[in-house]
């Protein structure tokens, strides 16, 4: 938007002094360049302020990140946006010379942005599909579903939660399971807002063999609605979960193994992070699965609702939970919310 404003105003000003279609087509791409960094700098400043002080890095780190983001936008602009804008602007000046200059400049800029953005999203999605396909070839299995997450005070008993939810949605209690998650700080790529996390998960239960896996989870929260006015806001999370089964405990990243996936995991791993243990009660009926997670020494339960495709059912279940219980809706992973108390 900053670049659009500068480009349009600059073109209009030059229009008072020059009549050349080539000059007027080139002015916008030249003067707009100063608009590529303020937005990234403001975003980096906001990120610095909102980061957990424990995880927050130096101001210089976020400034470099802003400059890198602005430079990437600048490169995309030079290679793709500018040629499209120049062609559109020149054609507009040629075939519609009576159109006000500011309209031609603004429309050419916006149309070029739409084309570039659409191409970038398409390219990123193709990369993401290829990324998952590569993981499958390494022996991983992938599961995708929608999830909603709530924090409920431990003053409400798990039995009360289970009874009400099971009755409302005709769910059957399946089992109680124990989990141990060892999170791994990573430098995995993000795809179109999908935030990656990596963990080693151990699962055990009564009459159940202990299972271990390395998991890569891509998380993307979105806002959804029931299509009518409502007193609540709903933020389901789209999850793509990658599993790689392992047989032995891992205490160091170098123990990940030397097979193809082991080398991949070590490449993107930085260091072992937090370890979280919890027990989980599971209820299921049809498309809907609900779990109640009890973390050690915390003053809240985490209630998770999951569906594979029926987002409307998920929203109905979310609304019921928010009506019946005093909750906090969150899109944060356990590795972050476990540090906080409600």
């Amino acid at each position: 938007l900053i670049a659009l404003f500068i480009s349009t105003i600059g073109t209009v000003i030059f229009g008072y002094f020059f009549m050349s279609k080539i000059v007027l087509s080139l002015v916008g791409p030249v003067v707009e360049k100063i608009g590529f960094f303020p937005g990234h700098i403001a975003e980096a400043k906001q990120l610095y302020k909102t980061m957990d002080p424990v995880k927050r890095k130096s101001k210089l780190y976020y400034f470099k990140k802003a400059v890198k983001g602005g430079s990437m936008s600048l490169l995309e602009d030079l290679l793709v946006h500018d040629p499209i804008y120049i062609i559109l602007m020149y054609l507009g000046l040629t075939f519609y010379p009576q159109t006000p200059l500011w309209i031609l400049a603004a429309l050419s800029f916006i149309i070029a942005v739409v084309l570039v953005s659409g191409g970038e999203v398409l390219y990123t999605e193709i990369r993401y599909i290829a990324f998952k396909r590569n993981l499958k070839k390494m022996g991983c299995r992938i599961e995708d579903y929608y999830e909603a997450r709530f924090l409920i005070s431990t003053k409400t008993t798990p039995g009360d939660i289970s009874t009400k939810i099971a009755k409302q949605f005709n769910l059957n209690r399946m089992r109680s399971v124990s989990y141990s998650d060892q999170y791994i700080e990573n430098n995995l790529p993000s795809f179109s807002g999908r935030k990656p996390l990596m963990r080693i998960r151990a699962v055990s239960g009564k009459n159940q063999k202990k299972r271990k896996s390395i998991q890569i989870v891509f998380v993307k929260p979105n806002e959804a609605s029931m299509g009518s006015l409502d007193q609540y806001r709903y933020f389901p999370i789209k999850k793509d979960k990658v599993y790689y089964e392992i047989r032995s405990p891992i205490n160091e990243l170098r123990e990940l193994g030397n097979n193809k996936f082991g080398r991949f995991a070590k490449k993107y791993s930085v260091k072992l992070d937090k370890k979280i243990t919890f027990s989980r009660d599971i209820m299921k009926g049809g498309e809907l699965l609900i779990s109640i997670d009890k973390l050690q020494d915390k003053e809240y339960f985490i209630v998770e609702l999951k569906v594979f495709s029926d987002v409307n059912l998920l929203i109905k279940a979310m609304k019921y939970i928010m009506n019946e219980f005093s909750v906090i809706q969150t899109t944060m992973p356990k590795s972050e919310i476990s540090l906080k108390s409600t």
Side-chain angles (χ1 to χ4, degrees):
L1 289 174
I2 296 171
L4 168 61
F5 178 78
I6 294 173
S7 174
T8 303
I9 296 299
T11 303
V12 170
I13 291 173
F14 269 77
Y16 285 106
F17 304 99
F18 300 95
M19 297 299 293
S20 169
K21 289 181 283 188
I22 294 178
V23 171
L24 294 177
S25 298
L26 293 173
V27 167
V30 173
V31 300
E32 71 181 8
K33 296 298 181 281
I34 60 175
F36 279 92
F37 292 93
H40 289 279
I41 292 172
E43 186 178 313
K45 186 177 179 181
Q46 183 66 20
L47 180 62
Y48 175 83
K49 287 182 177 179
T50 55
M51 277 294 291
D52 185 338
V54 177
K55 292 185 175 182
R56 183 188 292 159
K57 298 182 181 180
S58 67
K59 290 182 179 179
L60 181 60
Y61 170 84
Y62 295 98
F63 177 75
K64 287 180 178 177
K65 192 173 182 179
V67 172
K68 184 178 179 181
S71 300
M72 182 59 68
S73 296
L74 184 61
L75 182 62
E76 290 177 348
D77 187 66
L78 286 168
L79 295 177
V80 187
H81 182 270
D82 283 354
I84 296 174
Y85 172 89
I86 291 168
I87 292 170
L88 291 173
M89 189 66 182
Y90 187 85
L91 292 175
L93 290 168
T94 301
F95 294 104
Y96 303 100
Q98 302 304 316
T99 304
L101 199 55
W102 70 269
I103 293 179
L104 287 177
L107 279 178
S108 298
F109 188 100
I110 292 170
I111 293 171
V113 165
V114 170
L115 293 174
V116 172
S117 300
E120 184 177 0
V121 170
L122 179 61
Y123 173 69
T124 303
E125 291 302 305
I126 292 172
R127 284 177 54 232
Y128 184 55
I129 291 170
F131 184 85
K132 291 194 294 182
R133 186 174 295 170
N134 188 40
L135 287 170
K136 279 186 176 180
K137 290 179 180 178
M138 295 180 194
C140 300
R141 59 188 179 91
I142 300 176
E143 182 180 71
D144 60 280
Y145 56 89
Y146 294 90
E147 178 182 282
R149 182 174 293 155
F150 298 94
L151 309 184
I152 299 182
S153 171
T154 51
K155 294 176 182 178
T156 305
T157 64
D160 187 31
I161 299 171
S162 301
T163 302
K164 286 188 174 182
I165 295 175
K167 184 178 179 181
Q168 178 68 22
F169 294 98
N170 194 27
L171 305 178
N172 297 314
R173 183 171 178 176
M174 296 175 62
R175 60 187 182 276
S176 294
V177 187
S178 296
Y179 286 76
S180 177
D181 287 346
Q182 172 66 69
Y183 284 86
I184 301 173
E185 188 178 325
N186 66 82
N187 53 14
L188 285 161
S190 177
F191 297 92
S192 298
R194 298 178 181 91
K195 183 180 178 182
L197 62 87
M198 184 186 291
R199 66 190 176 205
I200 302 165
R201 168 165 283 185
V203 184
S204 60
K206 189 176 180 180
N207 301 322
Q208 179 180 320
K209 185 179 179 181
K210 190 171 185 178
R211 293 179 290 113
K212 304 184 192 74
S213 62
I214 300 175
Q215 299 184 356
I216 298 172
V217 186
F218 285 93
V219 179
K220 186 174 183 178
N222 286 294
E223 185 168 7
S225 71
M226 299 186 74
S228 59
L229 292 176
D230 203 326
Q231 71 267 41
Y232 300 120
R233 297 180 69 184
Y234 307 95
F235 294 92
I237 306 163
K238 179 67 169 63
K239 271 191 172 183
D240 294 332
K241 187 181 289 186
V242 180
Y243 299 81
Y244 184 83
E245 300 294 334
I246 55 177
R247 298 190 177 186
S248 58
I250 294 174
N251 299 311
E252 299 289 342
L253 292 176
R254 57 184 173 81
E255 298 175 9
L256 284 171
N258 201 36
N259 57 14
K260 198 168 184 180
F261 181 80
R263 292 194 297 270
F264 169 88
K266 282 187 279 191
K267 175 184 175 182
Y268 288 105
S269 301
V270 178
K271 63 180 180 179
L272 295 179
D273 202 356
K274 290 181 284 293
K275 187 171 185 177
I276 297 172
T277 58
F278 59 96
S279 60
R280 169 173 287 180
D281 292 335
I282 301 173
M283 298 174 289
K284 191 177 188 306
E287 171 83 356
L288 181 64
L289 183 146
I290 296 179
S291 62
I292 303 173
D293 298 342
K294 291 166 279 188
L295 285 74
Q296 293 182 354
D297 304 321
K298 298 301 174 185
E299 299 175 1
Y300 53 82
F301 301 117
I302 299 177
V303 177
E304 294 181 349
L305 294 71
K306 300 178 176 70
V307 298
F308 286 102
S309 59
D310 193 345
V311 178
N312 287 333
L313 175 61
L314 179 65
I315 294 175
K316 288 177 183 176
M318 292 171 73
K319 183 169 185 175
Y320 177 80
I321 294 253
M322 288 189 275
N323 271 329
E324 289 295 319
F325 306 101
S326 178
V327 301
I328 296 175
Q329 183 179 184
T330 181
T331 59
M332 298 170 69
K334 288 187 182 70
S335 57
E336 295 181 27
I337 61 176
S338 62
L339 297 175
K340 299 171 175 58
S341 174
T342 59

